């Protein structure tokens, strides 16, 4: 990992060129022409030729920005993003849609996260990245960081796009099932209204422990059992079976996985009645749990996506949540929102985020347990365990998110012999956790009616009719196609000929019609 340099020795001089225009030298080296910077920029822009029709043009440190109005003139429908290497040039952003201060990023991973937090994966994949070459010579270290970050960002965006292409349709189907079958809904008992300063006496005063399913969970079990009364325990879906095995009953379950495998983890919930399950409408959940009168559902909602629009017709009170690649990330943001104040800490256990030898999760794990029964000489156990030892691009994305996420409360990870560092999340041993938790004087703190039953104000029939109308009116819109068929949507934007665009459009229409038939069958 490369650290961002601090250029305290730069000598930046703004001077007049031979034609009277402003130019600039950095440590004696010209960033723009000493004779005619406008003509230099015209030549640069005239030579631009892109393989796609971009929505965004990213340019690395264009200095005085003579190029920007010319790019804007040549590509009037594109938004220009500057990647600034030095604060001295921020005043030249008049023709810029958005400016990213590279000089404030500590490393390429942080800069990559800045890019992904400000631009969607579709926007990244519909962009071109160009370089004002003199800047690469004047700011070599910043240039190295920036282009590594761009490479990382494009790789992550491609991975996220493939994930969305697979899951978006599944998420919308899950949402329809959620709205059709869900009955026993609860809500936070403080009329949560995004006012974080509100004095909510019913929010938990206890520290929150989030239990993931990594192998390190096992090492924390003993101390978690010993001080179970001292904290609020959130068990994420993949850790449910292990927590039950060790007689650790959560105060709340949380699942966000939209895939069928989530059902394997949630099948254990029938053993523990009356404990709320926090669940986005997009997540997979068996119908028997959605309709069960003894399984309270705390509905979560994300800030984006078609599912949010569908749920707006339901009359259900949804709790705002943050979309995340991992269920543990969603649980972390949820934990911060239910804490009474910032002085109360959050603890993780089972958050390894590193490849392991053997099983990648703490046992028992429902999915790995099921696969275990199908092992034989022709299909040995090593065939299942060995691939996980080499890690994955997704695991790296999750690790980077936790490493770079901002922590409002003091946040710790209970782990021994950690294979990585998670930035602001401090690693502590089980013994250190014991010393912290027993001295916090939270053992007497109670959670009184944190969750209360909510009543829908709209009937199921009325809700279904509104959802039908929304789908009929929007199923051919750009937003619909972009969300449900993102890969085809990007391909359509990149089509070079009308014939290619027509073929892609016909492919999208065929897929969309089949999907709509499935949706309407669910909603009937």
């Amino acid at each position: 990992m490369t650290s961002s340099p601090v250029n305290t020795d730069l000598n930046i001089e703004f001077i007049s060129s031979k034609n009277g225009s402003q130019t600039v030298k950095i440590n004696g080296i010209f960033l723009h022409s000493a004779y005619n910077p406008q003509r230099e920029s015209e030549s640069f822009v005239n030579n631009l030729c892109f393989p796609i029709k971009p929505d965004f043009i990213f340019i690395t440190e264009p200095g005085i920005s003579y190029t920007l109005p010319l790019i804007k003139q040549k590509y009037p429908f594109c938004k220009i993003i500057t990647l600034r290497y030095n604060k001295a040039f921020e005043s030249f952003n008049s023709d810029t849609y958005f400016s990213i201060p590279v000089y404030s990023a500590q490393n390429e991973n942080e800069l990559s996260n800045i890019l992904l937090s400000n631009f969607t994966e579709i926007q990244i994949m519909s962009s071109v990245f160009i370089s004002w070459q003199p800047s690469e010579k004047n700011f070599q270290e910043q240039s190295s960081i920036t282009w590594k970050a761009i490479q990382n960002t494009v790789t992550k965006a491609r991975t996220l796009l493939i994930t969305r292409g697979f899951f978006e349709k599944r998420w919308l189907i899950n949402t329809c099932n959620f709205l059709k079958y869900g009955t026993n809904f609860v809500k936070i008992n403080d009329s949560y209204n995004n006012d974080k300063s509100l004095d909510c006496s019913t929010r938990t005063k206890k520290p929150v422990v989030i239990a993931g399913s990594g192998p390190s969970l096992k090492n924390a079990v003993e101390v978690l059992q010993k001080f179970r009364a001292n904290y609020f325990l959130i068990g994420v879906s993949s850790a449910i079976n292990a927590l039950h095995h060790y007689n650790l009953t959560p105060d709340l379950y949380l699942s966000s996985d939209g895939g069928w495998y989530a059902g394997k983890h949630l099948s254990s919930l029938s053993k523990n009645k009356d404990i709320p399950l926090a669940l986005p409408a997009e997540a997979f959940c068996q119908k028997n749990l959605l309709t069960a009168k003894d399984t309270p559902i705390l509905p979560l909602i994300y800030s984006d996506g078609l599912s949010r629009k569908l749920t707006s017709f339901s009359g259900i009170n949804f709790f705002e949540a943050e979309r995340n690649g991992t269920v543990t990330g969603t649980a972390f943001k949820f934990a911060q929102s239910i804490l009474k104040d910032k002085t109360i800490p959050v603890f993780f256990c089972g958050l390894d985020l590193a490849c392991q030898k053997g099983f990648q999760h703490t046992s028992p794990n429902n999915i790995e347990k099921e696969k275990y029964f199908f092992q034989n000489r022709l299909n040995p156990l090593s065939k299942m365990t060995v691939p996980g030892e080499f890690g994955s691009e997704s695991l790296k994305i999750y690790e980077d998110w936790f490493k770079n996420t901002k922590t409002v409360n003091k946040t710790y990870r209970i782990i021994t012999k950690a294979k990585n560092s998670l930035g602001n999340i401090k690693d502590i041993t089980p013994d250190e956790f014991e010393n912290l938790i027993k001295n916090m004087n939270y053992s007497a703190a109670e959670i009184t009616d944190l969750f209360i039953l909510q009543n829908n104000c709209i009937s199921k029939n009325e809700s279904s009719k509104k959802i039908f109308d929304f789908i009929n009116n929007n199923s051919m819109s750009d937003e619909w196609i972009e969300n449900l068929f993102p890969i085809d949507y990007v391909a359509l934007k990149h089509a070079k000929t009308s014939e290619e665009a027509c073929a892609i459009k016909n492919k999208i229409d065929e897929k969309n019609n089949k999907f709509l038939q499935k949706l309407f069958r669910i909603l009937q």
Side-chain angles (χ1 to χ4, degrees):
M1 185 181 296
T2 310
S3 296
S4 180
V6 179
N7 294 286
T8 56
D9 57 343
L10 286 181
N11 180 21
I12 301 177
E13 299 176 82
F14 291 93
I15 58 176
S16 294
S17 63
K18 294 293 183 182
N19 74 342
S21 298
Q22 190 179 40
T23 189
V24 63
K25 288 197 298 184
I26 301 176
N27 291 343
I29 301 174
F30 278 97
L31 189 65
H32 298 286
S33 169
Y35 297 92
N36 192 329
Q38 288 94 341
R39 184 177 297 171
E40 177 190 39
S41 295
E42 287 173 6
S43 177
F44 173 82
V45 173
N46 287 337
N47 287 322
L48 291 178
C49 183
F50 305 136
I52 64 170
K53 296 176 183 177
D55 291 333
F56 297 87
I57 298 174
F58 289 75
I59 181 168
T60 58
E61 190 49 87
I64 298 178
S65 303
Y66 288 113
T67 59
L68 301 192
L70 300 174
I71 294 174
K72 199 172 182 179
Q73 183 179 355
K74 186 174 181 179
Y75 301 98
F77 300 108
C78 295
K79 295 181 174 67
I80 302 172
I81 317 298
T82 58
L83 292 147
R84 290 294 184 187
Y85 291 165
N86 193 281
K87 195 173 184 177
F89 300 104
E90 289 286 4
S91 60
F92 300 103
N93 283 335
S94 59
D95 291 296
T96 303
Y97 172 74
F98 193 77
S99 180
I100 297 174
V102 173
Y103 53 82
S104 68
Q106 295 300 309
N107 51 61
E108 59 264 26
N109 286 330
E110 183 178 336
L111 180 56
S112 179
N113 286 329
I114 291 172
L115 289 168
L116 285 171
S117 66
N118 285 285
F119 301 93
T120 68
E121 54 271 24
I122 285 183
Q123 290 173 334
I124 293 294
M125 298 306 293
S126 301
S127 301
V128 293
F129 299 85
I130 59 177
S131 166
W132 179 248
Q133 283 298 320
S135 291
E136 312 305 320
K137 298 175 182 177
N138 282 281
F139 301 96
Q140 293 183 11
E141 292 179 89
Q142 289 95 332
S143 172
S144 176
I145 287 173
T146 299
W147 287 102
K148 285 178 182 177
I150 290 171
Q151 183 179 15
N152 291 344
T153 301
V154 171
T155 299
K156 289 177 182 179
R158 187 182 298 115
T159 301
L160 291 169
L161 198 66
I162 292 170
T163 301
R164 277 189 58 190
F166 181 80
F167 277 110
E168 280 282 0
K169 293 180 284 297
R170 181 73 257 173
W171 291 337
L172 203 59
I173 288 171
N174 290 342
T175 300
C176 289
N177 280 316
F178 185 92
L179 298 177
K180 182 176 182 179
Y181 295 104
T183 53
N184 190 22
F185 294 121
V186 295
K187 62 181 179 179
I188 300 290
N189 187 18
D190 62 4
S191 300
Y192 181 75
N193 62 357
N194 292 324
D195 183 1
K196 300 296 192 301
S197 64
L198 193 65
D199 182 15
C200 302
S201 60
T202 51
R203 288 199 185 153
T204 179
K205 301 175 184 177
K206 292 186 177 183
V208 174
V209 173
I210 301 170
S213 61
S216 64
L217 173 62
K218 186 175 181 180
N219 296 328
V221 164
E222 185 177 348
V223 70
L224 291 176
Q225 290 172 332
K226 184 176 179 181
F227 293 95
R228 178 62 191 89
N230 294 47
Y231 57 85
F232 184 93
L233 178 60
I234 298 176
V236 304
S237 52
S238 56
I240 289 173
N241 214 36
L243 292 173
H244 289 175
H245 176 76
Y246 293 114
N247 294 318
L248 285 166
T249 303
D251 296 291
L252 179 75
Y253 300 109
L254 194 147
S255 179
S256 63
D257 191 349
W260 175 82
Y261 280 113
K264 290 292 181 181
H265 298 308
L266 297 180
S267 62
S268 301
L269 292 185
S270 58
K271 301 175 184 178
N272 286 63
K273 309 291 185 181
D274 300 323
I275 297 174
L277 167 63
L279 192 75
E282 295 179 358
F284 178 84
C285 186
Q286 299 98 321
K287 293 174 186 176
N288 67 308
L289 284 176
L290 289 173
T291 58
K293 294 182 179 180
D294 54 4
T295 303
I297 303 291
L298 176 65
L300 306 180
I301 192 69
Y302 299 131
S303 62
D304 61 341
L306 292 171
S307 294
R308 186 179 181 93
K309 295 192 174 180
L310 289 189
T311 56
S312 67
F313 305 122
S314 66
I316 299 170
N317 187 308
F318 283 84
F319 190 91
E320 294 286 340
E322 184 171 313
R323 187 186 298 280
N324 194 273
T326 69
V327 61
T328 316
T330 299
F332 177 47
K333 294 300 182 179
F334 176 86
Q336 290 183 320
S337 69
I338 66 167
L339 287 171
K340 186 172 175 61
D341 60 61
K342 297 176 182 179
T343 65
I344 304 173
V346 177
F347 298 91
F348 287 104
C349 55
L351 185 68
D352 294 70
L353 296 175
C355 53
Q356 312 283 339
K357 287 190 176 295
F359 289 112
Q360 301 303 302
H361 302 94
T362 292
S363 295
N365 178 278
N366 279 355
I367 294 175
E368 290 182 349
K369 182 171 66 174
E370 183 176 281
K371 290 181 178 180
Y372 179 81
F373 288 109
F374 293 94
Q375 306 306 310
N376 53 50
R377 286 182 298 173
L378 298 178
N379 189 35
L381 185 62
S382 59
K383 186 177 179 181
M384 180 178 72
T385 60
V386 168
E389 297 177 15
F390 297 99
S392 67
E393 182 61 35
S394 296
L395 187 65
K396 179 62 177 171
I397 291 174
Y398 305 153
E399 180 186 354
D400 286 345
W401 184 87
F402 279 99
K403 190 176 295 183
N404 293 288
T405 193
K406 293 181 179 179
T407 56
V408 177
N409 304 68
K410 287 185 178 179
T411 309
Y412 305 89
R413 176 173 62 162
I414 309 168
I415 195 169
T416 54
K417 299 180 180 179
K419 294 189 175 183
N420 52 20
S421 171
L422 297 183
N424 292 328
I425 301 174
K426 183 181 178 181
D427 288 342
I428 58 173
T429 65
D431 289 340
E432 289 173 318
F433 170 73
E434 177 174 347
N435 290 332
L436 283 171
I437 203 75
K438 71 183 181 183
N439 292 322
M440 286 181 180
N441 298 319
Y442 287 111
S443 58
E446 297 294 338
I447 304 167
T448 306
D449 296 328
L450 182 60
F451 307 106
I452 60 173
L453 192 66
Q454 60 172 290
N455 296 312
N456 297 350
C457 59
I458 299 178
S459 69
K460 292 281 186 182
N461 288 338
E462 185 181 353
S463 174
S464 294
K465 183 181 182 304
K466 289 185 177 183
I467 292 171
F468 264 108
D469 291 343
F470 174 81
I471 294 173
N472 279 324
N473 294 332
N474 294 276
S475 59
M476 296 303 295
S477 67
D478 280 351
E479 182 186 21
W480 182 275
I481 302 303
E482 178 184 344
N483 275 273
L484 295 177
F485 309 99
I487 297 174
D488 295 312
Y489 181 81
V490 171
L492 183 62
K493 293 175 71 66
H494 291 182
K496 294 181 176 62
T497 64
S498 57
E499 290 80 6
E500 184 181 352
C502 186
I504 296 171
K505 185 69 169 60
N506 290 336
K507 181 182 176 182
I508 292 173
D509 289 343
E510 184 179 348
K511 289 181 179 179
N512 195 25
N513 288 332
K514 288 181 179 179
F515 179 68
L516 288 171
Q517 291 174 16
K518 184 180 291 187
L519 273 190
F520 288 137
R521 281 197 301 270
I522 293 171
L523 291 169
Q524 284 176 351

